[in-house]
């Protein structure tokens, strides 16, 4: 097996440690003096990253390996670096006012959320005005025209070149997603049919769920169709673009009509057009 394609935990940790150090110097102009590593590959964690501050040991940054090929990864790193530098400056290092102000300066707010096929989309950006665009895997971003400034060609951040290795690894996951679709049953009220295992874990069995994590999932389309017919629901692919969206945490306000616009970048003050009055003068209100 190609060692450049499937990394050991040790090699991956060296990669991400070097990556975090580069982000620190580029975006914060300060060195990251401690260790960054991935959560164990087999770990299932509810967080994209964290910095631990043991009393008797140096700080350690831990990141979720599966997110490395995602456009949200660099924002997670910036987010954790803010915690780290506030701690190193002997300041409160929670999500306080200073943390949010710093998030706006380095673009650490908001993440590219995935509730479905995280390997099937990238986040592209216009190199001229910074407009964000979701790009489907396989599409040619160089042939896309920016809706805001009409520039031809979007770009995808290569994350200092390190992302290329992880994108190759993600190819396997993408192929599996495309070639072996799985299905869920969406019910008329917007909930999902719950899996049998999830029902067994409940003290009071419930056949519906609002989360895809507990949903009934099958690779057998005929079974899914039968279930859907029984509950008057509809079959949907488990990995579907309907569940992809870009969170927009930065708030701008049109000076003329006071309309609020939410965007994915804090650097768009001179590139916005109001959707209501077409005004071009905005006030940056900060992060939500």
């Amino acid at each position: 097996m190609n060692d450049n394609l499937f990394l050991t935990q040790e090699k991956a940790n060296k990669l991400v440690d070097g990556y975090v150090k580069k982000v620190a110097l580029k975006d914060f102009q300060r060195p990251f003096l401690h260790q960054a590593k991935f959560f164990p590959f087999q770990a299932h964690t509810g967080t994209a990253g964290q910095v631990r501050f043991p009393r008797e040991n140096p700080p350690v940054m831990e990141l979720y390996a599966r997110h490395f090929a995602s456009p949200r990864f660099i924002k997670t790193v910036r987010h954790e670096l803010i915690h780290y530098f506030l701690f190193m400056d002997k300041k409160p290092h929670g999500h306080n006012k200073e943390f949010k102000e710093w998030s706006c300066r380095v673009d650490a707010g908001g993440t590219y959320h995935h509730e479905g096929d995280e390997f099937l989309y990238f986040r592209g950006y216009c190199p001229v005005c910074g407009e964000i665009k979701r790009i489907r895997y396989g599409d040619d971003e160089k042939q896309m025209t920016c809706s805001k400034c009409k520039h031809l060609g979007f770009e995808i951040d290569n994350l200092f070149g390190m992302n290329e290795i992880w994108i190759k690894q993600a190819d396997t996951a993408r192929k599996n997603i495309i070639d072996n679709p799985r299905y869920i049953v969406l019910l008329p009220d917007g909930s999902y049919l719950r899996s049998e295992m999830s029902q067994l874990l409940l003290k009071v069995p419930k056949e519906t769920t609002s989360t895809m994590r507990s949903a009934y999932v099958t690779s057998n389309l005929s079974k899914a169709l039968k279930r859907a017919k029984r509950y008057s629901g509809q079959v949907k692919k488990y990995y579907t673009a309907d569940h992809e969206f870009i969170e927009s945490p930065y708030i701008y306000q049109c000076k003329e009509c006071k309309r609020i616009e939410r965007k994915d970048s804090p650097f768009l003050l001179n590139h916005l057009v109001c959707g209501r009055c077409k005004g071009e003068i905005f006030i940056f209100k900060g992060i939500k």
Side-chain angles (χ1 to χ4, degrees):
M1 190 172 291
N2 190 329
D3 198 37
N4 290 325
L5 191 57
F6 294 94
L7 302 179
T8 64
Q9 180 89 47
E10 181 181 1
K11 288 185 177 181
N13 286 344
K14 288 182 179 179
L15 259 182
V16 77
D17 185 60
Y19 173 75
V20 171
K21 286 177 168 58
K22 288 184 178 182
V23 174
L25 290 174
K26 177 178 180 289
D27 293 334
F28 295 83
Q29 294 77 51
R30 295 179 60 173
F32 177 69
L33 301 174
H34 294 91
Q35 182 189 16
K37 63 180 182 178
F38 284 122
F39 290 111
F41 285 166
Q42 68 273 18
H44 294 279
T45 173
T47 180
Q50 67 179 17
V51 183
R52 291 190 290 107
F53 302 104
R55 290 185 178 181
E56 299 180 359
N57 294 299
V60 177
M61 183 184 296
E62 295 177 306
L63 299 156
Y64 194 23
R66 190 178 182 186
H67 294 169
F68 193 89
S70 162
R72 67 171 157 171
F73 188 79
I74 191 168
K75 288 195 173 188
T76 300
V77 171
R78 291 171 183 152
H79 180 106
E80 301 306 333
L81 281 171
I82 296 173
H83 286 304
Y84 171 80
F85 286 128
L86 286 173
F87 174 82
M88 296 299 290
D89 292 342
K90 302 187 186 313
K91 295 180 178 180
H93 51 278
H95 297 126
N96 51 31
K97 182 180 179 181
E98 187 171 3
F99 180 95
K100 292 183 178 181
E101 290 174 349
W102 211 338
S103 293
C104 292
R105 291 200 299 270
V106 300
D107 188 16
T111 55
Y112 189 84
H113 275 266
H114 309 290
E115 295 180 11
D117 47 354
E118 59 262 48
F119 292 120
L120 296 184
Y121 289 88
F122 296 111
R123 190 183 69 176
Y125 66 92
C126 173
V128 175
C129 71
E131 173 74 358
I132 300 297
K133 182 179 180 64
R134 188 182 66 190
I135 297 175
R136 185 187 295 271
Y137 173 70
D139 288 353
D140 186 357
E141 69 274 8
K142 299 300 182 184
Q143 298 302 314
M144 296 179 177
T145 301
C146 178
S147 61
K148 189 173 269 80
C149 72
K150 307 305 179 184
H151 174 77
L152 177 63
F154 275 72
E155 294 185 10
I156 298 173
D157 192 345
N158 70 358
L159 306 178
F160 306 108
M162 294 184 184
N163 204 16
E164 295 172 6
I165 294 174
W166 291 87
I167 286 176
K168 288 179 181 177
Q169 288 196 99
D171 282 342
T172 302
R174 291 190 189 99
K175 188 176 187 306
N176 182 59
I177 289 169
I178 294 169
D179 294 347
N180 303 288
R182 295 193 293 165
Y183 305 95
I184 59 174
V185 176
L186 179 66
L187 303 177
D189 63 356
S191 64
Y192 301 105
L193 184 64
R194 185 182 288 273
S195 70
E196 288 88 346
M197 180 60 70
S198 180
Q199 289 185 46
L200 289 173
L201 294 175
L202 294 175
K203 293 182 179 179
V204 180
K206 186 179 180 183
E207 293 187 323
T208 65
T209 176
S210 60
T211 65
M212 294 182 71
R213 180 180 297 178
S214 302
Y216 165 78
V217 182
T218 180
S219 57
N220 189 317
L221 179 57
S222 62
K223 286 185 177 180
L225 289 170
K226 288 180 181 178
R227 292 287 186 99
K229 184 176 181 180
R230 177 182 173 186
Y231 292 93
S232 301
Q234 58 179 304
V235 173
K236 298 195 70 175
K237 287 186 178 179
Y238 180 70
Y239 296 105
T240 172
D242 292 347
H243 299 282
E244 291 282 332
F245 65 94
I246 296 177
E247 185 182 61
S248 300
Y250 299 109
I251 301 173
Y252 298 83
Q253 186 176 44
C254 175
K255 194 170 183 179
E256 293 296 324
C257 70
K258 310 303 181 185
R259 174 187 170 93
I260 295 294
E261 299 270 2
R262 293 187 182 275
K263 299 295 178 181
D264 194 57
S265 169
F267 310 125
L268 302 177
L269 193 59
N270 298 319
H271 302 285
L272 298 178
V273 177
C274 179
R276 178 187 294 160
C277 72
K278 307 304 179 184
E280 298 182 359
I281 301 176
F282 278 78
I283 301 169
F284 182 58
K285 305 292 286 186
I287 192 170
K288 71 178 180 182

